[in-house]
Amino acid sequence: MNPADDSPRNPPRRPRPIDGSSFVEGDAAPVLPGAGEETRRPPAAPGAAEPPASMSDSALLRAVSPPLPPEIATATATARFGKFVRLKKLGQGGMGEVWQAWDVPLGRWVALKFLTGGDETEIARFTQEAHVAGKLAHPNITAVYEVGEAQGRHFIAMQFIDGTTAAKLPRGDRRMLVRVIRDAARAVGEAHRAGVIHRDIKPDNLLVRGARGGAGAADDFHVFVTDFGLARRTEGASGLSLSGAIIGTPSFMPPEQARGEKVDVRADIYALGATLYDLLSGEPPFGGATLFELLRAVQDRDAPSMRVRVPAIESDLDTIVLKCLEKDPARRYQTAEDFAADLDRFLEGEAIAARPASLVYRVRRTLWKKRAMVAVGLAGLAAVALTLAAM
């Protein structure tokens, strides 16, 4: 600001409270009150000496505020958003983008998620993510700090994880990959106990901090389940996903979700199994040249054994994953804890609880599918006959 502007005709603007909208594009870097402006003095930390009464308000805030990281202290004005300073974009999806940012008042890194555009339904779903995830407290679920709107943009401030997604983990250590999904299953089980279904579990929605991979890698990583954008509470309908609407990621969703039906916790168990299948075999259980082909495969085809793609995979591990991928939810693990417990048994060399589908069941299912195909074919022939008769 030009000193000539500090005149009675142009008094300096008083900063607004730091409430998510205090930074304005073009403001100077640190948001600190100017000389002579009133500041609420924060209480001193226990055991700390009181600052001198003569200390100026600006000096006081500089003394008690957490120091800015060098890359934030030199950030340009365009990096500012509300009380946050953005550093770099971490990713972008269908609904929005995520940035690493610095929370100036609290002095911590956050993952700042923005909604890109969006109608009223998308805004409601975006806000629901924060409200649902904010009620979950578990060491393997990313914490939500704040949800709000500033500078015309809706945002969620979340725990920043300095790691990578499970999709980018090295695939050489199968036991490490199993432990990643086991820990994720325990977190998902906690969400289920709180009445929350995720509905979009996939490798990109699992963050891993500290995983090195490779033979003999230390078990010092930490897994976080994130992105509850499609989550819903089990009691009552949310109103954000109508019957018949297909919501989620087709490669990792169960057949009932692909049909647009109402799902329960066993949909997440299927998705956890599909995610482990992808990590171990290198690709999801089903594929297709088009979305329609993929959705039909998810609904109609049985997942092939992972050992067809990777013969070295242990048969017990293959059995566990295929149990998650059963078409009938009643044949899957009924809780995420049961799934995690069987993965623990595998890791510890104990007998697993899952059993391969019996020959009788496989034959009956094959006959049922063929009968359904015959019924569809007969219905088509009947329609053709009626059409010809009417001509």
Side-chain angles (χ1 to χ4, degrees):
M1 180 180 293
N2 192 314
D5 293 334
D6 283 335
S7 65
R9 292 176 301 172
N10 297 294
R13 184 179 62 184
R14 296 176 61 83
R16 289 174 286 174
I18 297 177
D19 60 356
S21 59
S22 57
F23 281 128
V24 178
E25 295 294 341
D27 282 351
V31 179
L32 298 172
E37 292 183 339
E38 181 181 355
T39 304
R40 181 178 299 174
R41 294 171 180 262
E50 289 289 338
S54 60
M55 179 179 284
S56 70
D57 289 331
S58 290
L60 172 62
L61 269 184
R62 294 179 190 277
V64 300
S65 296
L68 297 176
E71 61 268 45
I72 296 300
T74 58
T76 63
T78 57
R80 314 231 163 66
F81 177 82
K83 64 179 181 179
F84 306 100
V85 180
R86 291 168 290 184
L87 178 62
K88 62 180 178 181
K89 185 185 290 188
L90 300 175
Q92 185 163 355
M95 286 185 64
E97 57 189 31
V98 182
W99 286 72
Q100 181 182 350
W102 181 256
D103 184 330
V104 174
L106 296 180
R108 64 183 175 188
W109 290 109
V110 298
L112 204 57
K113 184 173 184 178
F114 294 101
L115 177 64
T116 302
D119 55 22
E120 291 184 2
T121 299
E122 290 174 331
I123 293 172
R125 183 174 293 139
F126 186 79
T127 304
Q128 174 182 272
E129 173 182 355
H131 291 164
V132 170
K135 297 179 183 296
L136 302 176
H138 190 275
N140 295 105
I141 296 177
T142 51
V144 171
Y145 300 140
E146 183 179 352
V147 59
E149 181 181 6
Q151 299 168 208
R153 302 188 71 182
H154 294 270
F155 73 90
I156 301 173
M158 303 177 293
Q159 179 183 4
F160 171 68
I161 308 301
D162 187 11
T164 186
T165 67
K168 297 179 180 178
L169 289 176
R171 306 302 174 92
D173 188 342
R174 287 197 298 274
R175 293 180 64 84
M176 182 194 73
L177 297 174
V178 170
R179 291 195 296 269
V180 165
I181 300 303
R182 176 202 61 191
D183 292 351
R186 289 172 176 164
V188 170
E190 178 63 26
H192 291 169
R193 284 191 291 273
V196 174
I197 307 171
H198 191 288
R199 297 199 301 169
D200 195 24
I201 296 170
K202 56 186 177 181
D204 284 326
N205 285 342
L206 301 181
L207 299 177
V208 186
R209 182 177 63 197
R212 296 198 294 270
D219 189 8
D220 59 355
F221 59 83
H222 196 95
V223 180
F224 297 86
V225 181
T226 188
D227 203 344
F228 281 77
L230 300 183
R232 67 177 293 272
R233 289 197 165 274
T234 52
E235 68 275 9
S238 67
L240 300 181
S241 55
L242 302 178
S243 177
I246 299 174
I247 298 178
T249 305
S251 295
F252 300 95
M253 67 171 56
E256 63 269 25
Q257 191 170 347
R259 291 191 293 267
E261 299 173 357
K262 184 177 180 180
V263 301
D264 58 25
V265 299
R266 295 170 296 186
D268 283 349
I269 295 168
Y270 180 103
L272 285 166
T275 297
L276 183 54
Y277 189 108
D278 178 78
L279 296 180
L280 294 173
S281 71
E283 54 186 308
F286 302 104
T290 66
L291 176 60
F292 176 78
E293 290 182 5
L294 174 56
L295 291 174
R296 293 308 306 172
V298 169
Q299 296 176 57
D300 297 338
R301 287 169 41 196
D302 290 326
S305 166
M306 293 187 296
R307 303 184 77 192
V308 173
R309 301 174 178 177
V310 184
I313 291 177
E314 297 84 345
S315 59
D316 278 357
L317 187 53
D318 191 51
T319 297
I320 290 173
V321 172
L322 292 180
K323 182 175 179 64
C324 294
L325 300 179
E326 288 280 4
K327 299 298 184 191
D328 182 0
R331 293 182 60 84
R332 301 172 198 154
Y333 294 99
Q334 297 302 288
T335 69
E337 290 85 353
D338 290 343
F339 174 44
D342 235 7
L343 291 179
D344 265 333
R345 293 186 189 99
F346 166 76
L347 291 169
E348 295 167 6
E350 300 177 359
I352 62 173
R355 292 291 178 268
S358 67
L359 177 62
V360 173
Y361 174 78
R362 294 200 300 271
V363 170
R364 287 175 57 190
R365 177 167 173 77
T366 301
L367 292 176
W368 181 87
K369 288 196 295 184
K370 288 184 177 180
R371 184 173 62 181
M373 293 174 62
V374 170
V376 170
L378 290 176
L381 289 175
V384 171
L386 290 173
T387 301
L388 293 175
M391 295 178 62

